[in-house]
Amino acid sequence: MVLNLSLSGMPYCGCDLGGFWGDPSYDLVCRYYEMAVLFPLYRNHRIKNGKDNEPFRMPPIYTEMIRRAITLRYQFLPYLRELANEAHTSGHPIIRPLVYDFPEDREALYIDDEYMAGHNVVVARQMDGRPGRDFYLPHGTWKEYASGREMAGRRWYWSDDNIPIFIRV
């Protein structure tokens, strides 16, 4: 939804962290916080009478996972501000599918569980609860944000990081 809204000319968008309907598990709420870490809108919101899923009401292990995600987001706020200005002046979306910046890359065309924040950052959070994932990096040289490890593009990799983020070098 966020990628579609962004491509449709609504660059300042997001999703309800944890989902709006139903009673998501604490684990799912945490994965939402991690997945959406660089979305322009980053908020917990739900239907009236839904289960409380505010971080301060969760068991400490989940509160800490969300705290780590929010702390990571704060590190990227200056970059997100630059992207908001770019969206305003040029119309480029803040959050975009990989194929937006790499239209010649057939592999990127089919990837819908990773996103780019601007031209230089890829986020590839695992959303199904498994302890890691395969992810794809498009053309170029990329640096894993957490470790600083450089990686060549146009390849698939594996990560067990909770919030795999890659910066274009």
Side-chain angles (χ1 to χ4, degrees):
M1 175 190 80
V2 172
L3 293 175
N4 289 333
L5 287 171
S6 291
L7 292 176
S8 299
M10 295 179 64
Y12 198 74
C13 58
C15 64
D16 299 324
L17 301 180
F20 187 72
W21 295 98
D23 293 323
S25 68
Y26 294 139
D27 182 61
L28 181 60
V29 173
C30 288
R31 282 185 273 139
Y32 262 93
Y33 273 90
E34 293 169 344
M35 176 272 307
V37 70
L38 297 184
F39 281 9
L41 291 178
Y42 192 67
R43 59 155 191 240
N44 183 313
H45 184 60
R46 64 179 166 75
I47 190 169
K48 194 185 294 187
N49 299 326
K51 181 174 89 176
D52 286 335
N53 60 10
E54 291 83 3
F56 66 89
R57 293 183 179 263
M58 295 182 181
I61 188 170
Y62 299 106
T63 301
E64 185 54 36
M65 289 171 68
I66 292 171
R67 183 185 330 270
R68 282 194 304 265
I70 292 171
T71 299
L72 179 61
R73 178 181 175 77
Y74 270 77
Q75 294 169 16
F76 280 89
L77 283 182
Y79 180 65
L80 290 174
R81 183 172 182 220
E82 288 176 26
L83 294 179
N85 186 55
E86 178 189 48
H88 173 72
T89 58
S90 72
H92 289 295
I94 296 169
I95 299 301
R96 51 189 87 166
L98 274 60
V99 72
Y100 184 87
D101 285 297
F102 301 95
E104 76 291 343
D105 189 335
R106 301 268 312 155
E107 199 81 38
L109 177 63
Y110 299 103
I111 295 173
D112 63 0
D113 63 350
E114 297 178 30
Y115 64 89
M116 293 193 69
H119 301 288
N120 298 314
V121 177
V122 171
V123 179
R125 171 62 175 117
Q126 174 62 269
M127 282 305 293
D128 69 7
R130 290 181 291 151
R133 66 163 291 166
D134 291 310
F135 65 91
Y136 180 76
L137 291 176
H139 178 75
T141 302
W142 300 85
K143 187 177 281 194
E144 187 175 34
Y145 186 71
S147 71
R149 175 176 64 138
E150 284 198 10
M151 306 161 97
R154 293 198 101 145
R155 292 190 184 152
W156 286 90
Y157 294 94
W158 170 263
S159 176
D160 57 3
D161 188 4
N162 273 5
I163 312 172
I165 295 178
F166 306 91
I167 312 295
R168 192 185 329 206
V169 178

